[in-house]
């Protein structure tokens, strides 16, 4: 039962992503191409998602605990370190080159397109390489 | 360069669905809807239940295009301007970046910003800036 409910939450996310245009690299790249073929649609995606989440979280956090777990598991790190900023800067470079972000690419896998599979494969290699490097230096952090 | 159609209502609707799924995931299992975190957690799950909700959510995400097809009768538009080598390079860079940056557009840009997390706001501003800079360089300096 729990599995099916969470599956349906994933369906809502995946549908939202493909409807919004976040799974379409041409549209994503055009959002950032203010000097060229600018398409401001993604501002509406972010706006709709942010307002809904901000209001919904406010209601959910009024509860003492989630429905199926003992407590809310929120990221606890507070510091703005070089790792956060450097990693985010690097992520943006990759997003600008490929036009896919992880949340855009994962639902797009459902189309079975070879270019999406290639992107996700390369992304997983990047994730594993970075996790390996992190495990050599410091205790690994949980991603948001 | 590829022109894309400005879709404010469709993108806003998709954004609201993305937000709704984030709120529901927090309500049900008390977790942040971050594509990076959901995906990477699969490789080092804390428990069977932890593994199971992540798999359910990812399977749901991948169903997104099928739901889109059921509603509209067509597949979502996905146009990839990047060449296959650039897509692979971009994918690898995204993987490294989101691992060091502890999140991506969904985790930091939607869920973190909706909680007014200073780390997520800093991360989002950083990757939005480097994505825009990368798109500018690729399209208007290199001229690909």
């Amino acid at each position: 039962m729990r599995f099916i409910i969470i599956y349906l939450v994933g369906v809502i996310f995946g549908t939202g992503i493909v409807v919004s245009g976040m799974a379409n690299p041409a549209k994503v790249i055009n959002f950032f191409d203010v000097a060229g073929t600018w398409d401001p649609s993604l501002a509406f995606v972010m706006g709709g998602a942010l307002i809904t989440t901000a209001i919904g979280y406010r209601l959910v956090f009024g509860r003492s605990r989630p429905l199926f777990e003992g407590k809310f598991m929120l990221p606890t790190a507070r510091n703005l370190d070089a790792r956060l900023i450097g990693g985010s800067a690097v992520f943006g470079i990759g997003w600008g080159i490929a036009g896919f972000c992880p949340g855009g690419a994962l639902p797009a896998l459902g189309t079975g397109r070879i270019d999406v599979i290639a992107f996700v494969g390369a992304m997983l290699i990047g994730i594993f390489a970075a996790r390996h490097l992190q495990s050599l230096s410091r205790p690994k952090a949980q991603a948001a | 360069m590829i022109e894309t159609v400005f879709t404010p209502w469709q993108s806003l609707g998709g954004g609201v669905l993305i937000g709704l799924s984030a709120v529901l995931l927090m309500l049900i299992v008390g977790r942040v809807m971050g594509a990076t975190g959901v995906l990477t957690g699969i490789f080092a799950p804390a428990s069977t239940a932890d593994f199971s909700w992540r798999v359910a959510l990812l399977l749901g995400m991948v169903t997104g295009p099928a739901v889109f097809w059921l509603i509209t009768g067509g597949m979502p538009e996905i146009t990839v301007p990047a060449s296959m080598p650039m897509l692979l390079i971009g994918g690898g860079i995204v993987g490294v970046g989101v691992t060091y940056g502890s999140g991506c557009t969904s985790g930091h840009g939607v869920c973190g910003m909706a909680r007014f997390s200073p780390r997520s706001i800093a991360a989002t501003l950083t990757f939005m800036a480097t994505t825009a800079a990368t798109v500018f360089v690729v399209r208007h300096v290199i001229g690909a």
Side-chain angles (χ1 to χ4, degrees), chain B residues 89-109:
Chain B
I89 291 167
I93 294 173
V94 166
V96 171
V98 295
T99 304
Y100 276 94
S102 303
C104 55
T105 326
S106 46
H108 283 313

Side-chain angles (χ1 to χ4, degrees), chain A residues 53-97:
Chain A
T53 310
I55 296 170
Y57 272 8
R58 198 158 274 263
L59 298 173
V60 170
F61 292 145
R63 298 175 51 89
S64 57
R65 45 168 284 200
L67 295 175
F68 292 169
E69 293 287 340
K71 61 180 166 100
F72 294 108
M73 299 283 281
L74 297 173
T76 49
R78 306 295 302 166
N79 53 327
L80 302 178
D81 53 5
R83 193 157 140 156
L84 173 81
I85 303 302
S88 297
V90 169
F91 160 50
I93 294 169
W95 194 20
I97 291 173

Side-chain angles (χ1 to χ4, degrees), chain A residues 3 6-19 23 101-113 116-117 120 123-124, chain B residues 21 33 35 38-39 42 53-70 74-76 78:
Chain A
F3 192 90
I6 298 169
Y7 170 82
L8 291 175
V9 173
V11 172
I12 296 172
F13 180 86
T15 306
I17 288 286
V18 293
V19 166
C101 60
L106 292 175
L109 276 177
T111 62
R113 289 173 59 112
V116 181
I117 296 168
V120 173
M123 181 178 85
L124 284 172
Chain B
S21 68
M33 174 69 87
V38 172
L39 179 66
I42 278 198
W53 76 260
R54 291 167 192 276
V55 171
L57 194 68
L58 287 169
L59 287 176
M61 287 184 187
V62 175
T63 316
V67 173
F68 185 90
W69 177 78
L70 280 173
M75 283 308 256
I78 298 179

